[in-house]
C-alpha cells in the first residue's frame, strides 16, 4: 500500500478527524484494492506517480505533547477553581464567586476559540470548550441564584455546548451536552414540573420521560456528529430513564419497555456498524434493568430466572436469524 496514504491516515487520526478503527478500515480496503489490481496497472501507477509528490511522515509527537499539555492546563485551572471555591465558599462574597466562575469560563472558552480559529488541536479545542460551557453554566447559576439561576444556568451551558457541537464537533462536547441535558432534566423535574408536596417517587416518572427525550436528542446528534459516542450516550439516557421508572410507583413495566428498546436499538446499530461500544452499553443495560425490574414485578427469584431465560432465548433466536440472513447475502 502506498506510504502516502498511510501517512495521511496517521495525520488524520492524530488530528482527531478519524478514529483509529476507521483509519484501519480504510487502510485495509485500499490494500485489498491495490492487491486485486492487475500487475500492469500497478506498475503503470508507480511509474506515473511523481516521487516528489509523496509527503514526508507527519510528526505526531509534538502535536500529542501539545494536546497533553493543554489537557493538563485545563485540569489545573479547574482544580484551582474547585479548591478555591470549596475552601473559601463561606467567606467569599457574591461578587467573588461570580468572578471566579466567570474568569475560568472565559479562559477555557477563549483558548478553545483561539485554537479553533488557528485550526490547531481540534480535540483539545473541543475538550476545553466542553469544560468551559459547564463552568459558564455554574457561573450563571451563582450570579442569578435560586430556581431561576439553576434553569438559566442550564440553558446558558446548553446553548454554548450546542454552538460548540455545531462548530467544533468533538466527541467531548457530545459528552458535555449529555451531562448538561441530564442536569436539565433533574432541574426541570424538581423545580418546575413537580408540584409542591409531591413525593420523590412520583417525580421519578417525570424524570424518566425527560431522559427518553434526551435519548432522542443524542440519537439525532449521532446522525451529524460522532455517531458511536452520540448513540452510546443515547443508550446511557435510556438506562437513566429505566432507573427512574424503577423508582416510580408501579413503573417496572415501563422500565422493562425502555430497558429493552434502548439495548435493541444499540444491538441493531452494532450489527450494522460493528462498533463494540454499542454492544457493551446495550448488554450492560439488559443485565441491570431486566433482573431488577423482574424481581420488583414478581418478588421471586424464580420469576427473575424465568424472565432471563426467555430474554436469552429471544436474543439467541435473533442471532440465528441474523446469521442466516448474512449467509444469504452474496459475498
Amino acid at each position: 500500500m502506498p506510504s502516502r496514504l498511510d501517512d495521511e491516515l496517521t495525520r488524520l487520526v492524530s488530528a482527531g478527524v478519524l478514529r483509529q478503527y476507521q483509519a484501519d478500515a480504510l487502510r485495509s480496503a485500499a490494500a485489498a484494492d491495490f492487491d486485486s489490481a492487475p500487475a500492469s496497472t500497478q506498475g503503470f501507477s508507480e511509474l506515473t506517480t511523481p516521487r516528489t509528490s509523496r509527503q514526508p511522515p507527519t510528526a505526531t509527537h509534538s502535536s500529542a505533547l501539545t494536546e497533553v499539555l493543554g489537557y493538563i492546563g485545563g485540569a489545573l485551572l479547574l482544580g484551582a477553581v474547585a479548591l478555591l471555591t470549596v475552601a473559601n465558599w463561606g467567606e467569599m462574597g457574591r461578587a467573588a464567586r461570580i468572578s471566579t466562575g466567570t474568569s475560568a469560563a472565559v479562559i477555557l472558552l477563549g483558548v478553545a476559540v483561539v485554537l479553533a480559529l488557528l485550526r490547531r488541536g481540534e480535540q483539545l479545542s473541543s475538550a476545553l470548550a466542553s469544560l468551559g460551557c459547564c463552568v459558564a453554566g455554574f457561573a450563571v447559576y451563582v450570579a442569578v441564584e435560586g430556581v431561576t439561576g439553576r434553569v438559566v444556568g442550564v440553558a446558558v451551558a446548553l446553548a454554548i455546548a450546542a454552538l460548540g457541537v455545531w462548530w467544533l464537533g468533538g466527541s467531548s462536547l457530545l459528552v458535555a451536552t449529555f451531562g448538561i441535558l441530564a442536569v436539565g432534566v433533574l432541574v426541570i423535574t424538581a423545580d418546575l414540573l413537580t408540584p409542591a408536596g409531591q413525593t420523590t417517587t412520583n417525580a421519578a416518572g417525570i424524570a424518566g420521560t425527560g431522559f427518553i427525550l434526551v435519548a432522542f436528542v443524542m440519537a439525532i446528534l449521532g446522525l451529524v456528529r460522532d455517531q458511536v459516542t452520540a448513540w452510546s450516550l443515547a443508550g446511557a439516557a435510556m438506562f437513566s430513564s429505566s432507573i427512574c421508572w424503577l423508582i416510580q410507583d408501579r413503573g417496572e413495566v415501563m422500565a422493562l419497555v425502555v430497558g429493552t428498546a434502548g439495548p435493541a436499538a444499540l444491538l441493531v446499530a452494532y450489527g450494522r456498524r460493528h462498533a463494540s461500544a454499542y454492544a457493551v452499553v446495550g448488554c450492560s443495560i439488559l443485565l441491570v434493568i431486566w433482573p431488577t425490574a423482574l424481581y420488583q414485578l414478581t418478588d421471586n427469584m424464580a420469576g427473575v430466572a424465568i424472565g432471563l431465560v426467555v430474554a436469552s432465548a429471544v436474543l439467541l433466536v435473533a442471532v440465528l436469524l441474523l446469521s442466516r440472513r448474512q449467509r444469504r447475502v452474496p459475498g
Side-chain angles (χ1 to χ4, degrees):
M1 182 184 62
S3 61
R4 180 180 178 184
L5 176 60
D6 188 74
D7 297 337
E8 187 66 18
L9 291 175
T10 301
R11 185 186 68 80
L12 292 174
V13 170
S14 65
V17 178
L18 292 177
R19 292 181 177 270
Q20 187 60 50
Y21 75 91
Q22 294 172 325
D24 294 339
L26 292 174
R27 191 178 290 109
S28 300
D33 290 342
F34 186 80
D35 294 338
S36 61
S40 58
T41 305
Q42 295 180 14
F44 178 78
S45 174
E46 292 176 359
L47 290 174
T48 54
T49 302
R51 294 184 179 273
T52 56
S53 65
R54 291 193 175 186
Q55 299 176 354
T58 305
T60 60
H61 297 290
S62 59
S63 60
L65 179 60
T66 302
E67 297 256 349
V68 170
L69 292 177
Y71 294 140
I72 294 175
L76 290 177
L77 175 61
L78 283 182
V81 172
L83 288 175
L84 179 64
T85 303
V86 171
N88 303 286
W89 185 260
E91 292 99 19
M92 291 173 67
R94 187 162 175 265
R97 296 176 182 178
I98 296 174
S99 62
T100 300
T102 303
S103 300
V106 168
I107 293 173
L108 291 169
L109 293 174
V111 174
V113 169
V114 171
L115 288 174
L117 293 175
L118 296 177
R119 298 186 181 277
R120 303 285 183 183
E122 288 85 354
Q123 287 184 338
L124 176 59
S125 178
S126 299
L128 294 177
S130 64
L131 296 176
C133 66
C134 297
V135 176
F138 172 74
V140 173
Y141 158 69
V142 173
V144 180
E145 295 183 339
V147 175
T148 304
R150 289 192 288 272
V151 174
V152 175
V154 169
V156 169
L158 186 59
I160 298 175
L163 178 62
V165 170
W166 171 75
W167 184 23
L168 303 174
S171 57
S172 57
L173 279 163
L174 292 174
V175 177
T177 301
F178 169 76
I180 295 168
L181 287 173
V183 173
V185 167
L186 300 178
V187 168
I188 293 174
T189 299
D191 294 332
L192 300 181
L193 299 182
T194 303
Q198 191 75 275
T199 61
T200 305
T201 54
N202 293 328
I206 302 175
T209 304
F211 278 111
I212 293 176
L213 297 177
V214 173
F216 277 111
V217 172
M218 299 310 300
I220 293 172
L221 288 177
L223 299 177
V224 294
R225 286 295 181 259
D226 185 349
Q227 193 174 88
V228 175
T229 301
W231 285 6
S232 298
L233 291 171
M238 296 293 275
F239 176 74
S240 301
S241 176
S242 299
I243 296 296
C244 291
W245 286 112
L246 288 176
I247 301 173
Q248 170 75 20
D249 288 336
R250 296 181 297 278
E252 296 85 2
V253 174
M254 191 62 184
L256 279 175
V257 172
V258 177
T260 303
L266 287 172
L267 293 176
V268 170
Y270 173 73
R272 292 180 175 274
R273 301 293 182 182
H274 301 289
S276 59
Y278 297 151
V280 171
V281 175
C283 291
S284 299
I285 297 173
L286 287 175
L287 289 174
V288 173
I289 298 302
W290 268 73
T292 307
L294 289 174
Y295 183 76
Q296 289 187 199
L297 279 172
T298 63
D299 197 19
N300 189 330
M301 292 303 296
V304 175
I306 293 173
L308 293 180
V309 169
V310 172
S312 65
V314 172
L315 287 175
L316 292 176
V317 170
V319 169
L320 293 176
L321 292 176
L322 290 174
S323 300
R324 290 181 60 186
R325 182 180 177 184
Q326 290 176 355
R327 285 198 299 269
R328 290 176 182 174
V329 176

